[in-house]
Amino acid sequence: MNRIIRMYFYGILGAVGGVIAWQASNILGLSFTNSIYVSELIVGGVLGLSIGLLIGLTEGILTRNLVAAVKAGVISGLLGAVGGVLGLPAAEGVFQFVGGDIAGRLIGWAILGLLIGLAVGITGGAQLWKGGFGGIIGGVLGGLLLESARNMLSQPLYGKAAGLLLLGAAIGVFIAMIVFMLSRAWIEVTSGKLKGTEFILDKFKKQDGPSAIIGSDALKSDIVFPDPDIAPQHAILQGAGSYFYIKDMSRSGTFVNNKKVEESKLSNGQKVRMGNTEFVYREKR
């Protein structure tokens, strides 16, 4: 699955999250409290939860990993809710202080995008700051699109719907775009059920940092291949600062460039095979 298609799915699910947020905020309304800041806090939490949850589900859906989808969706939804709770009241305060300048609103959407982007970094293989950076860009640009939609459409209800759809889509697209543009190491699956899928390895590259376990068990592995010939925990990818090495943990074996190995340093372009799945190790210097 190439990166354009991945950005498409992140954008679509982010947009769906925006539509859900629109419906939820309509149900809540603003009449349950006399304080605009309390209202913004509650509605912001709902918006962040909806958009964050759907964006968080994306990676697990693309890799057919239900466990990863649920885990990432929950974490991203909760952090998105925190972003909304913090961002929207803060944005309202700035908005009122500077006399209605749109920059105040954008601060809130940037905070929302930041927290959702950080969640993508926590649950995936990207470094935190890359997901957060993409989220900030998506939040700011999505906020601009939201305000434009509100101003262009005469019906406030439709303007809000279109705006939140565009906001969710922008956050999703830019998180996926920035994470992959700045990625330094990844694997690209070239055969098997996940052919075309890429798994980023950036956060595993640090020496003495966390390792990435490859296997078929979603509860025991970081990179999961739905292949019955792959062991639940088949191999370990360990970073060494400037490169990775792979260590076999299976009975059936791990093959690097068609040679069975117990442990091997990986170089850019090398092919790794386990079970009926093959992937290529990629890196940028």
Side-chain angles (χ1 to χ4, degrees):
M1 184 176 301
N2 65 45
R3 299 181 180 193
I4 299 297
I5 295 177
R6 184 175 295 273
M7 286 190 292
Y8 169 79
F9 277 101
Y10 266 85
I12 288 294
L13 287 177
V16 171
V19 172
I20 293 173
W22 168 63
Q23 288 283 20
S25 64
N26 286 338
I27 293 171
L28 285 175
L30 293 173
S31 60
F32 49 83
T33 173
N34 293 323
S35 171
I36 188 172
Y37 293 105
V38 175
S39 297
E40 290 288 325
L41 182 150
I42 296 173
V43 173
V46 172
L47 299 183
L49 175 65
S50 302
I51 296 174
L53 174 64
L54 269 292
I55 289 177
L57 293 174
T58 308
E59 198 67 28
I61 292 173
L62 292 176
T63 58
R64 306 182 191 182
N65 187 337
L66 179 60
V67 173
V70 172
K71 176 184 175 182
V74 169
I75 292 174
S76 185
L78 291 176
L79 282 179
V82 172
V85 165
L86 295 176
L88 265 65
E92 184 62 34
V94 174
F95 184 78
Q96 298 292 339
F97 181 75
V98 298
D101 194 294
I102 191 175
R105 301 288 193 197
L106 297 184
I107 291 173
W109 302 126
I111 293 173
L112 175 65
L114 168 65
L115 270 293
I116 295 174
L118 291 177
V120 172
I122 290 171
T123 57
Q127 292 170 302
L128 286 177
W129 71 269
K130 294 175 183 177
F133 182 45
I136 290 174
I137 295 175
V140 170
L141 293 181
L144 288 171
L145 292 173
L146 186 153
E147 297 298 333
S148 297
R150 282 176 169 173
N151 293 329
M152 291 175 61
L153 297 178
S154 57
Q155 288 287 341
L157 189 65
Y158 297 144
K160 180 181 177 182
L164 288 176
L165 182 151
L166 291 170
L167 173 70
I171 291 175
V173 166
F174 279 93
I175 287 174
M177 179 187 297
I178 296 300
V179 162
F180 277 99
M181 282 178 57
L182 300 181
S183 58
R184 307 300 300 176
W186 66 96
I187 59 174
E188 177 187 354
V189 184
T190 54
S191 71
K193 294 181 179 180
L194 296 183
K195 182 178 179 180
T197 302
E198 295 177 336
F199 293 89
I200 296 176
L201 304 174
D202 287 14
K203 81 176 183 183
F204 302 109
K205 197 169 186 179
K206 184 178 179 181
Q207 189 170 11
D208 299 324
S211 58
I213 298 176
I214 303 174
S216 58
D217 191 325
L219 295 175
K220 298 179 180 179
S221 302
D222 301 290
I223 297 173
V224 180
F225 294 131
D227 184 337
D229 293 319
I230 290 179
Q233 291 183 308
H234 197 102
I236 294 178
L237 276 172
Q238 182 67 55
S242 59
Y243 63 89
F244 277 92
Y245 65 86
I246 190 167
K247 181 179 180 181
D248 180 59
M249 300 191 301
S250 71
R251 293 182 178 180
S252 58
T254 297
F255 299 81
V256 177
N257 286 348
N258 293 319
K259 180 181 178 181
K260 189 174 183 179
V261 300
E262 292 186 3
E263 185 174 315
S264 177
K265 176 183 175 182
L266 292 178
S267 300
N268 185 42
Q270 284 190 315
K271 297 179 180 180
V272 180
R273 176 169 54 85
M274 49 187 69
N276 295 309
T277 300
E278 185 174 83
F279 60 83
V280 178
Y281 171 72
R282 304 288 189 189
E283 64 181 24
K284 287 190 294 189
R285 296 289 183 177

